[in-house]
Amino acid sequence: LWYDKHHEGDKINMNKQKRSLSIHDISCVGRCSLTVALPILSAAGMDSSVLPTAVLSTHTGGFEGYTFRDLSDDIQPISAHWQSLNLGFDALYSGFLGSFEQIDLLKDLFDTFKTPDNLIMVDPVMGDHGKMYPIFEPAMADGMASLCAKADIIVPNLTEASLMLHEDYVGSGYDETYIKGLLQRLSGLGADLVVLTGVSYEPGKLGAASYDRKSDAVSYACAGWVPGYFHGSGDVFSSALLSALMHDFSLERSIEIAVRFTFRSIQLTVELGQERRYGICFERALPELIKLLGLSD
Ligand code: PXL
């Protein structure tokens, strides 16, 4: 519904500033989740609100002995306060959750704040390289799948797709028929739009595939592939994707913008010789994102 109303080609509509709600953890050090989503959405001209799911001293992938404070108990009271004030959001965007219980809390939140005009985006952050992050219990796969049913658009990587669909992880050697089937099965979870990240058909290329269930259309965007693992790149991608969608770019163009921005951020990380566990240097690529979004001369 959201997409039909807004999908009128690649036009810019900044007459009204849109308000996003980013629902992720705060990893104090190591650029991912909220420390990535907020600056990107703000640079894209959004009024960027947050609902933190947990506070960690660092992210969980590369630093030893991180602290972890689950904020599940705060979600319902925060939501009740917003409801009492009649607050609303143009986009609700969830990522890394602090507990399994947050699945139900977020379903309630989505039910409360969904309108015919706004967009719910779920990035079912759960794993990579064919494996679930050790911090999560296996039930998280079905939990995330059920949360995806409430979304207008979902943004899994190949690992999260296999976990939610209970299929074997196929990390390479697939073809377009396999990816289209996977996109269709993912849309069967309930969201009209699906964006699959980490898709590569040839060595040296990496990108994303999108699927619109209503038109059965698949599109691809790809850029260069930089060897190695880049922490937080999924969050950079999803935040840029939401930024583009909120500016009413088509799904096809939005994945191109997000792929380009993520690739540029990774390239800069390598060029600057940054230590990988601190995440990627998206800050230096923000001027390019602003240009891609048509917000500068
Ligand atoms: O980038 C996803 C992410 C978000 N938040 C935390 C993480 C990770 C990935 O490992 O550990 C805390």
Side-chain angles (χ1 to χ4, degrees), residues 27-70:
S27 286
C28 299
V29 170
R31 285 176 294 193
C32 66
S33 40
L34 279 183
T35 62
V36 161
L38 273 193
I40 292 175
L41 290 162
S42 297
M46 308 279 298
D47 164 355
S48 307
S49 310
V50 296
L51 180 52
T53 57
V55 179
L56 294 84
S57 50
T58 65
H59 61 66
T60 65
F63 298 94
E64 292 294 308
Y66 54 85
T67 69
F68 182 93
R69 182 174 300 278
D70 173 19

Side-chain angles (χ1 to χ4, degrees), residues 152-221:
D152 299 298
I153 177 166
I154 61 173
V155 193
N157 60 27
L158 287 166
T159 300
E160 290 148 358
S162 73
L163 288 168
M164 291 194 295
L165 295 171
H166 296 285
E167 295 181 8
D168 288 341
Y169 169 68
V170 182
S172 59
Y174 42 75
D175 60 12
E176 292 197 22
T177 310
Y178 171 76
I179 293 296
K180 182 163 185 180
L182 196 57
L183 288 163
Q184 287 170 327
R185 294 192 292 283
L186 285 164
S187 78
L189 297 175
D192 278 344
L193 307 176
V194 178
V195 172
L196 188 61
T197 60
V199 176
S200 172
Y201 290 119
E202 48 175 312
K205 299 265 182 213
L206 184 67
S210 73
Y211 180 70
D212 182 338
R213 179 169 49 181
K214 288 194 180 137
S215 59
D216 198 39
V218 177
S219 80
Y220 294 100

Side-chain angles (χ1 to χ4, degrees), residues 25 27 32-33 56 58-61 96 125 133 229 231-233 235:
D25 70 286
S27 286
C32 66
S33 40
L56 294 84
T58 65
H59 61 66
T60 65
F96 183 98
V125 176
Y133 296 135
Y229 179 68
H231 203 93
S233 49
D235 298 329

Side-chain angles (χ1 to χ4, degrees), residues 3-191:
Y3 195 61
D4 294 340
K5 284 199 178 187
H6 290 260
H7 184 202
E8 292 163 25
D10 289 350
K11 67 180 172 58
I12 310 301
N13 176 9
M14 273 307 279
N15 295 336
K16 176 182 169 287
Q17 193 181 24
K18 291 184 179 149
R19 182 177 313 114
S20 58
L21 176 67
S22 298
I23 310 162
H24 308 244
D25 70 286
I26 298 174
S27 286
C28 299
V29 170
R31 285 176 294 193
C32 66
S33 40
L34 279 183
T35 62
V36 161
L38 273 193
I40 292 175
L41 290 162
S42 297
M46 308 279 298
D47 164 355
S48 307
S49 310
V50 296
L51 180 52
T53 57
V55 179
L56 294 84
S57 50
T58 65
H59 61 66
T60 65
F63 298 94
E64 292 294 308
Y66 54 85
T67 69
F68 182 93
R69 182 174 300 278
D70 173 19
L71 297 179
S72 300
D73 289 347
D74 291 325
I75 291 179
Q76 202 284 326
I78 289 173
S79 167
H81 179 229
W82 291 341
Q83 261 181 283
S84 76
L85 298 172
N86 258 327
L87 304 191
F89 304 98
D90 298 295
L92 292 102
Y93 160 36
S94 73
F96 183 98
L97 305 187
S99 70
F100 180 72
E101 289 65 41
Q102 287 184 3
I103 299 278
D104 280 344
L105 292 164
L106 289 199
K107 284 184 193 166
D108 286 347
L109 185 94
F110 288 166
D111 286 345
T112 302
F113 291 98
K114 181 66 192 154
T115 70
D117 281 335
N118 69 7
L119 178 82
I120 295 184
M121 181 162 124
V122 172
D123 183 345
V125 176
M126 225 174 1
D128 230 324
H129 298 117
K131 294 207 167 57
M132 189 178 275
Y133 296 135
I135 195 168
F136 293 128
E137 53 190 286
M140 202 64 171
D142 286 341
M144 276 295 190
S146 69
L147 189 62
C148 285
K150 298 263 179 203
D152 299 298
I153 177 166
I154 61 173
V155 193
N157 60 27
L158 287 166
T159 300
E160 290 148 358
S162 73
L163 288 168
M164 291 194 295
L165 295 171
H166 296 285
E167 295 181 8
D168 288 341
Y169 169 68
V170 182
S172 59
Y174 42 75
D175 60 12
E176 292 197 22
T177 310
Y178 171 76
I179 293 296
K180 182 163 185 180
L182 196 57
L183 288 163
Q184 287 170 327
R185 294 192 292 283
L186 285 164
S187 78
L189 297 175

